[in-house]
C-alpha cells in the first residue's frame, strides 16, 4: 500500500505506521488531525496518551510516543509502560478521534475485547492452539498442527452445486480454479459450506424448509387480512413458512374444515430435501468477482441473467500469500463459506420464482412476469434472502471491522454478528428492500445487540472433531454451537451508531466545502432527502407521530436532514443529467472440469462510482403532518421555513409527550435550527428571493455531538425548559 498524503497535492509521502502497513487506511475515519502526524495512521488502532518520564541524564520530563496495541500480537497483555498524560493537544485530540472512529468501525467493541477473544483456536476439546496473536509464537510449529486437525475436503460427498464442473474462470490475471494452489484453499470453504448445508437438511432446519417448501405469495392476498404494515412496494411478495401457512389455513380455510393441502411438508424425508435442493440449484454456476474496487469489496455477486455467482478473491489471495495468522485464516475460511451459502440463497430464491417445476408451493399467477425483487419471509421487515439465512442459521450477519478496507490489505479484525433486519432502518438496495418504517421489526423493543464472535468458534467449525462428534448429533442447534462472550448495545443503539447516516452527513459537508458553482447539487439534494426521510413525514399527524415514537434516538438524523434541506436552494423544477456509466462485457470461461460453453454478460460495474452518482433532482417536496395533517405543500409555496418548522414541531412533540431526548443532539439541533432560521429571516427581510440562496456558511458550523449515550433530558413544563435527567 502506498504511503500518503497524495504527492500530487504537493505534500511528501509519509511512512506508514505499523497498523497502516498491516490493515491499510480506514476510509471511514479520515480526519485532518492526522495530517500533522509524522506517520500515516490507519486510524484503526487506538491512540494512547504517553507517560512523561524522567530523563536519567537531565532529570527533565520526557514525553514518549505510546506503545499502542501491536497490529498482530494484540492478544498479549498490553504494556502500561509509556502511557499516561498527553504531551500535546494534538495527542489528546487523536486519542478521542481514534477512540470515536474505532467505536464506529467495530460497533462498540473495545480493543481489549478483540485481543481477549482471539487468544486461541481450538480443534479438539480442551486443547487450545496459539492463535498467532501472541509475540514469540513459532508459526512453523503452529501451521502443521493446524493443518492436521482441519477438515479434509471430500469432493465425492459434495452436492453437485459445489463441484468443480460448476466453475468458470476469467482471463488472466484473475484467479483460476484450475490452479491447484487456488483450488486447494477454495475447496476448504466449499467443504464447509457443503457440511453446513447438509447439516441443515439432516436437522430439518426451519429456514431451509421455508426456502425449499415455503409458499410464495403476494403481500396483499385473500388470506392474510392484517399484515404487520402497509405493502412495501407494489406487488411485493412474501415467502411463508410451513407453520405460518398452516396457521393461516386453520384460521381462514375455505370452506371451513378443508384439509390443509401442504400437510405433508413436515413428513418430507432427508432424501426428499436433498433432491429438492439439488433440483433448485441445478442451474447455478460459480466464478470469481471480476473487479476489485479501490476502497470496498463485495464478497459475492449473483448475476441472475447467467445464474452465475461470483466470489471476491481477496480472502483466497491473502491465504495463498500467507498473510493471515492461523486465527485470521480460520475466520476467512468460515466467512467465505458463509458468503457461498448467502449467495446460494439468492440463487434458490430466483429458482423458486422462475424455474421451479413444483407449482403447489406458489400462488403467484404469472411467475415469469415478476421482477427480481426478493420476498419477505413471513412478512418480516426486510427482504434479502442471504442476510435472512445468516440471521436464522448463525444468529446474525457475520461482519468484521475491516470489511471496507483496501482489498490488498484486508485483515479480519473485531469479528462480530449484527442482527438483521438492520437497525436503524436504511433504504439501501444493497442491504435488502425494507418494509415501511412502522413495521414492528424496526420498533424500539427490537434486539439490536452486537455479538463478539471469538476465534475459537471459527476454528471449531473447521475441525474434523466438530463434525464427527456423536455427542451432539444436531450440528445446527444453538447457531452451530456458537460461543457468546460479550454483547454490546449502547453505541450501536444510540444516534451515533447510525453509521449510514453519518456517511451521508460527511459526504454532504465535504461537498459543501466547494464553491456554489462547483458543488454537486444532485448529490447534496439526494443525501439531504435520504436523511430527512429516515423518519418518513409523508403522513397525517397520528401516523407521523407514531413513527417518531418508534424511531428512538434515530429521529435526530431526520431532523439533521431537514436542516440540510433548509440550507439548500428550493428546487422549483426537476433536473436530470446523464449517468456516468461505463459498460463492460464480462467473459466467463469454463474450467477444465466444466464442459459448458463460454458465458458473457454486459454490465455496469457498481464499483465505478462509490457512492453512485445521482442523476435526478426532484422538485422540493415537504409534507406538513402538524399544520395540514399530512398534506403536501404546493411546490410554489414551499420556503425554507417549512423544513425548519417541521424540526421545531418534532421537538415540540417530544416535549409534549415528556419523552427522554438525547441532550447533546437536542442542543446541537436547536442551535443549528436557530442559526439557519436567523439567516433565512435576514434574507426574507431583504430584497433578494431567498429560496434560491444557500445557507452554506451556517451549516458548516454543524458539529457532531460528542458521544454521551446516557446524557438525556426531559421537558419541564413548570420551568418551560429542557432539564437533565
Amino acid at each position: 500500500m502506498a504511503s500518503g498524503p497524495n504527492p500530487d497535492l504537493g505534500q511528501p509521502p509519509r511512512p506508514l505506521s505499523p497498523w497502516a502497513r498491516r490493515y491499510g487506511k480506514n476510509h471511514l475515519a479520515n480526519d485532518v488531525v492526522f495530517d500533522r502526524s509524522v506517520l500515516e495512521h490507519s486510524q484503526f488502532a487506538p491512540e494512547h496518551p504517553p507517560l512523561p518520564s524522567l530523563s536519567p541524564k537531565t532529570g527533565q520530563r520526557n514525553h514518549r510516543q505510546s506503545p499502542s496495541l501491536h497490529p498482530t500480537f494484540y492478544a498479549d497483555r498490553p504494556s502500561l509502560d509509556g502511557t499516561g498524560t498527553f504531551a500535546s493537544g494534538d495527542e489528546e485530540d487523536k486519542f478521542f478521534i481514534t477512540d470515536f472512529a474505532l467505536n464506529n468501525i467495530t460497533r462498540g467493541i473495545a480493543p481489549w475485547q478483540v485481543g481477549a477473544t482471539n487468544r486461541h483456536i481450538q480443534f479438539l476439546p480442551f486443547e487450545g492452539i496459539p492463535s498467532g496473536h501472541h509475540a514469540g509464537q513459532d508459526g512453523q510449529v503452529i501451521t502443521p498442527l493446524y493443518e492436521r486437525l482441519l477438515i479434509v475436503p471430500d469432493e465425492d460427498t459434495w452436492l453437485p452445486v459445489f463441484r468443480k464442473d460448476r466453475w468458470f474462470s476469467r482471463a488472466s490475471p484473475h484467479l483460476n480454479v484450475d490452479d491447484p494452489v487456488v483450488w486447494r484453499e477454495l475447496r476448504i470453504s466449499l467443504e464447509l459450506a457443503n457440511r453446513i448445508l447438509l447439516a441443515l437438511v439432516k436437522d430439518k432446519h426451519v429456514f431451509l424448509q421455508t426456502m425449499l417448501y415455503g409458499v410464495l405469495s403476494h403481500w396483499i392476498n385473500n388470506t392474510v387480512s392484517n399484515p404487520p404494515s402497509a405493502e412495501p412496494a407494489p406487488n411485493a411478495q412474501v415467502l411463508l413458512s410451513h407453520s405460518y401457512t398452516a396457521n393461516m389455513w386453520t384460521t381462514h380455510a375455505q370452506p371451513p374444515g378443508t384439509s390443509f393441502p401442504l400437510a405433508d411438508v413436515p413428513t418430507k424425508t432427508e432424501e426428499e430435501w436433498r433432491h429438492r435442493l439439488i433440483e433448485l440449484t441445478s442451474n447455478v454456476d460459480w466464478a470469481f468477482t471480476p473487479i476489485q474496487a479501490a476502497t470496498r469489496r463485495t464478497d459475492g455477486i449473483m448475476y441472475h441473467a447467467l445464474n452465475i455467482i461470483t466470489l471476491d478473491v481477496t480472502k483466497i489471495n491473502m491465504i495463498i500469500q500467507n498473510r493471515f495468522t492461523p486465527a485470521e485464516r480460520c475466520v476467512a475460511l468460515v466467512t467465505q463459506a458463509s458468503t457461498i451459502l448467502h449467495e446460494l440463497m439468492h440463487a434458490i430464491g430466483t429458482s423458486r420464482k422462475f424455474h421451479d417445476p413444483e407449482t403447489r408451493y406458489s400462488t403467484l399467477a404469472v411467475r415469469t412476469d415478476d421482477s427480481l425483487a426478493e420476498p419477505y419471509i413471513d412478512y418480516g421487515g426486510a427482504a434479502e434472502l442471504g442476510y435472512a439465512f445468516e440471521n436464522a442459521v448463525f444468529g446474525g450477519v457475520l461482519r468484521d471491522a475491516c470489511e471496507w478496507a483496501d482489498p490488498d490489505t484486508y485483515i479480519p479484525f473485531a469479528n462480530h454478528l449484527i442482527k438483521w433486519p438492520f437497525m436503524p432502518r436504511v433504504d439501501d438496495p444493497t442491504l435488502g428492500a425494507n418494509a415501511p418504517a412502522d413495521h414492528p421489526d424496526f420498533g424500539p423493543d427490537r434486539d439490536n445487540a452486537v455479538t463478539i464472535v471469538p476465534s475459537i468458534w471459527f476454528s471449531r467449525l473447521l475441525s474434523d472433531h466438530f463434525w464427527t462428534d456423536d455427542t451432539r448429533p444436531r450440528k445446527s442447534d444453538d447457531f452451530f454451537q456458537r460461543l457468546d462472550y460479550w454483547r454490546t448495545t449502547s453505541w450501536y443503539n444510540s444516534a451515533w451508531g447510525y453509521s449510514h447516516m453519518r456517511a451521508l452527513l460527511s459526504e454532504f459537508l465535504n461537498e459543501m466545502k466547494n464553491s456554489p458553482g462547483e458543488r454537486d447539487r444532485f448529490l447534496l439534494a439526494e443525501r439531504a432527502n435520504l436523511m430527512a426521510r429516515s423518519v418518513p413525514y409523508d403522513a397525517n399527524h397520528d401516523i407521523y407521530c407514531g413513527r417518531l415514537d418508534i424511531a428512538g434516538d434515530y429521529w435526530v438524523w431526520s431532523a439533521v436532514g431537514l436542516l440540510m434541506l433548509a440550507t439548500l436552494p428550493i428546487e422549483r423544477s426537476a433536473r436530470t443529467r446523464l449517468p456516468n456509466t461505463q459498460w463492460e462485457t464480462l467473459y466467463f470461461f469454463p474450467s477444465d472440469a466444466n464442459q459448458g460453453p463460454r458465458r458473457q454478460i454486459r454490465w455496469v460495474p457498481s464499483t465505478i462510482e462509490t457512492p453512485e452518482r445521482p442523476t435526478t433532482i426532484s422538485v422540493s417536496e415537504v409534507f406538513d403532518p402538524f399544520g395540514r395533517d399530512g398534506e403536501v405543500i404546493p411546490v410554489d409555496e414551499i420556503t425554507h421555513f417549512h423544513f425548519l418548522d417541521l424540526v421545531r414541531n418534532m421537538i415540540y412533540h417530544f416535549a409534549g409527550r415528556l419523552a427522554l431526548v438525547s441532550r447533546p443532539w437536542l442542543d446541537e439541533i436547536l442551535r443549528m435550527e436557530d442559526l439557519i432560521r436567523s439567516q433565512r429571516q435576514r434574507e426574507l427581510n431583504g430584497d433578494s428571493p431567498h429560496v434560491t440562496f444557500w445557507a452554506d456558511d451556517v451549516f458548516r458550523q454543524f458539529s457532531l455531538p460528542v458521544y454521551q449515550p446516557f446524557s438525556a433530558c426531559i421537558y419541564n413544563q413548570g420551568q418551560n425548559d429542557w432539564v437533565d435527567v
Side-chain angles (χ1 to χ4, degrees):
M1 180 181 177
S3 301
N6 187 347
D8 295 337
L9 300 179
Q11 299 170 299
R14 293 173 293 172
L16 298 176
S17 73
W19 277 78
R21 284 197 300 271
R22 186 160 200 263
Y23 292 91
K25 183 86 175 191
N26 174 15
H27 295 281
L28 301 180
N30 292 324
D31 194 86
V32 293
V33 71
F34 290 96
D35 292 345
R36 296 191 291 268
S37 294
V38 175
L39 300 177
E40 180 80 356
H41 287 272
S42 70
Q43 300 184 39
F44 284 116
E47 291 275 335
H48 297 296
L51 178 72
S53 60
L54 295 179
S55 168
K57 292 183 179 180
T58 65
Q60 299 297 313
R61 295 165 69 85
N62 294 328
H63 290 277
R64 295 178 297 169
Q65 180 63 36
S66 153
S68 51
L69 291 179
H70 193 279
T72 302
F73 308 128
Y74 51 75
D76 285 335
R77 184 187 298 274
S79 172
L80 298 180
D81 292 341
T83 59
T85 58
F86 298 102
S88 67
D90 260 8
E91 286 191 351
E92 187 171 359
D93 190 24
K94 285 191 291 184
F95 171 81
F96 286 107
I97 193 64
T98 51
D99 183 68
F100 182 81
L102 199 66
N103 232 336
N104 188 347
I105 63 173
T106 65
R107 296 185 169 93
I109 301 172
W112 68 267
Q113 291 175 312
V114 177
T117 53
N118 286 275
R119 293 186 182 279
H120 298 93
I121 53 179
Q122 186 182 72
F123 293 95
L124 293 172
F126 312 112
E127 292 187 19
I129 298 175
S131 62
H133 294 292
H134 298 277
Q137 291 180 346
D138 187 351
Q140 300 300 317
V141 174
I142 297 171
T143 302
L145 181 61
Y146 161 90
E147 292 181 344
R148 180 170 60 83
L149 299 173
L150 202 66
I151 54 175
V152 178
D154 183 357
E155 297 179 38
D156 291 337
T157 66
W158 289 3
L159 292 163
V161 69
F162 297 128
R163 294 175 185 168
K164 197 173 184 180
D165 60 7
R166 295 290 190 89
W167 278 84
F168 285 77
S169 300
R170 299 198 70 238
S172 180
H174 298 281
L175 291 189
N176 191 323
V177 294
D178 293 325
D179 183 337
V181 176
V182 174
W183 186 246
R184 182 191 67 203
E185 302 299 344
L186 177 62
R187 66 201 292 261
I188 299 174
S189 291
L190 289 170
E191 172 73 21
L192 179 60
N194 187 70
R195 293 192 185 204
I196 290 173
L197 201 52
L198 291 182
L200 297 176
V201 170
K202 182 176 182 295
D203 298 345
K204 294 191 174 182
H205 195 281
V206 171
F207 181 85
L208 186 58
Q209 182 189 67
T210 301
M211 290 297 298
L212 300 180
Y213 299 107
V215 174
L216 272 170
S217 186
H218 287 289
W219 184 284
I220 304 299
N221 57 63
N222 297 326
T223 311
V224 180
S225 57
N226 188 30
S229 73
E231 187 179 25
N235 297 315
Q237 295 165 10
V238 291
L239 178 61
L240 305 178
S241 65
H242 180 267
S243 60
Y244 198 104
T245 51
N247 181 65
M248 285 197 320
W249 188 267
T250 302
T251 308
H252 303 287
Q254 298 295 331
T258 306
S259 60
F260 182 36
L262 299 178
D264 63 321
V265 168
T267 67
K268 298 284 186 184
T269 65
E270 184 178 334
E271 187 56 36
E272 287 176 304
W273 278 52
R274 185 185 177 106
H275 174 78
R276 175 81 167 144
L277 189 55
I278 293 172
E279 181 180 63
L280 291 173
T281 58
S282 61
N283 61 350
V284 178
D285 294 311
W286 304 85
F288 287 110
T289 300
I291 291 180
Q292 291 187 38
T295 57
R296 65 177 294 180
R297 299 176 302 103
T298 302
D299 283 338
I301 300 175
M302 172 69 191
Y303 293 94
H304 295 276
L306 299 180
N307 283 314
I308 285 183
I309 297 171
T310 62
L311 300 178
D312 180 71
V313 301
T314 301
K315 294 174 183 176
I316 294 294
N317 264 335
M318 297 292 274
I319 291 173
I320 291 173
Q321 297 168 21
N322 200 27
R323 299 275 295 277
F324 290 152
T325 65
E328 291 162 351
R329 188 177 182 213
C330 290
V331 172
L333 291 170
V334 172
T335 53
Q336 185 84 289
S338 174
T339 297
I340 289 168
L341 294 171
H342 174 120
E343 298 301 328
L344 191 62
M345 295 304 116
H346 293 306
I348 292 174
T350 300
S351 293
R352 287 292 315 271
K353 294 180 70 171
F354 300 113
H355 313 296
D356 193 352
E358 291 279 0
T359 59
R360 64 194 294 244
Y361 304 118
S362 176
T363 66
L364 303 181
V366 186
R367 288 182 297 176
T368 55
D369 291 338
D370 293 332
S371 71
L372 291 172
E374 293 191 322
Y376 296 77
I377 294 181
D378 287 349
Y379 286 91
E384 215 280 3
L385 294 176
Y387 288 137
F389 164 83
E390 292 186 63
N391 199 66
V393 173
F394 300 128
V397 175
L398 287 165
R399 288 286 176 87
D400 67 79
C402 298
E403 56 193 3
W404 300 122
D406 289 337
D408 60 348
T409 56
Y410 167 76
I411 303 286
F413 179 75
N415 307 292
H416 58 275
L417 288 155
I418 56 176
K419 286 291 187 179
W420 187 85
F422 299 131
M423 283 287 284
R425 180 182 177 276
V426 176
D427 286 316
D428 182 342
T430 65
L431 302 180
N434 284 321
D438 57 354
H439 191 284
D441 276 358
F442 305 114
D445 297 330
R446 155 72 188 274
D447 177 14
N448 197 30
V450 174
T451 302
I452 304 173
V453 185
S455 56
I456 284 180
W457 180 72
F458 290 102
S459 60
R460 283 184 181 178
L461 279 183
L462 289 165
S463 70
D464 184 68
H465 178 270
F466 176 88
W467 296 100
T468 57
D469 180 12
D470 293 333
T471 62
R472 300 196 69 170
R474 288 181 55 88
K475 304 303 179 185
S476 67
D477 283 354
D478 303 320
F479 305 121
F480 279 88
Q481 303 170 35
R482 198 187 73 209
L483 300 173
D484 291 354
Y485 290 160
W486 286 290
R487 308 179 83 212
T488 177
T489 58
S490 59
W491 181 86
Y492 197 56
N493 284 331
S494 71
W496 289 269
Y498 205 158
S499 56
H500 182 69
M501 291 294 122
R502 291 173 62 147
L504 296 180
L505 175 63
S506 295
E507 292 177 59
F508 186 92
L509 290 172
N510 286 333
E511 194 64 33
M512 288 288 270
K513 294 176 182 177
N514 298 325
S515 64
E518 296 177 339
R519 290 174 188 154
D520 187 339
R521 288 180 65 164
F522 289 78
L523 183 142
L524 290 168
E526 186 197 59
R527 301 307 188 250
N529 274 298
L530 282 172
M531 290 181 65
R533 294 174 184 274
S534 59
V535 179
Y537 51 90
D538 55 342
N540 64 34
H541 176 272
D542 291 344
I543 293 177
Y544 178 62
C545 290
R547 291 172 178 173
L548 288 175
D549 291 340
I550 68 171
D553 283 347
Y554 303 137
W555 70 270
V556 303
W557 290 105
S558 178
V560 172
L562 290 167
L563 293 175
M564 290 158 63
L565 289 171
T567 68
L568 303 179
I570 301 295
E571 301 291 349
R572 297 297 194 199
S573 59
R575 302 166 183 252
T576 60
R577 64 181 176 184
L578 293 175
N580 182 21
T581 56
Q582 299 182 31
W583 288 88
E584 179 183 351
T585 300
L586 305 183
Y587 296 98
F588 298 97
F589 302 92
S591 66
D592 290 346
N594 189 339
Q595 299 303 310
R598 186 187 76 172
R599 314 274 288 279
Q600 69 184 61
I601 188 173
R602 194 164 182 261
W603 78 314
V604 179
S606 61
T607 58
I608 292 298
E609 292 178 296
T610 304
E612 294 181 0
R613 178 174 178 261
T615 57
T616 60
I617 300 179
S618 302
V619 295
S620 294
E621 185 179 56
V622 63
F623 297 81
D624 185 0
F626 296 95
R628 307 191 190 193
D629 202 30
E631 291 183 10
V632 63
I633 297 173
V635 65
D636 57 348
E637 297 180 16
I638 293 176
T639 71
H640 297 103
F641 295 102
H642 287 111
F643 299 111
L644 297 171
D645 289 345
L646 187 50
V647 173
R648 280 194 177 181
N649 284 325
M650 293 168 73
I651 295 172
Y652 292 155
H653 166 74
F654 291 117
R657 288 192 63 253
L658 301 181
L660 283 176
V661 174
S662 169
R663 166 62 85 178
W665 283 94
L666 176 68
D667 288 347
E668 185 61 13
I669 289 170
L670 288 175
R671 185 181 75 88
M672 290 303 304
E673 193 275 341
D674 183 66
L675 287 173
I676 298 171
R677 184 179 292 272
S678 296
Q679 175 166 329
R680 292 305 189 189
Q681 188 62 51
R682 288 194 299 272
E683 296 165 358
L684 188 64
N685 296 337
D687 297 328
S688 302
H690 72 285
V691 294
T692 64
F693 284 10
W694 300 80
D696 45 359
D697 290 340
V698 174
F699 196 80
R700 281 201 294 266
Q701 299 179 43
F702 178 84
S703 176
L704 188 73
V706 175
Y707 179 55
Q708 300 175 69
F710 304 113
S711 176
C713 58
I714 193 170
Y715 188 75
N716 186 297
Q717 294 178 339
Q719 299 182 31
N720 193 29
D721 197 3
W722 294 87
V723 297
D724 293 334
V725 177

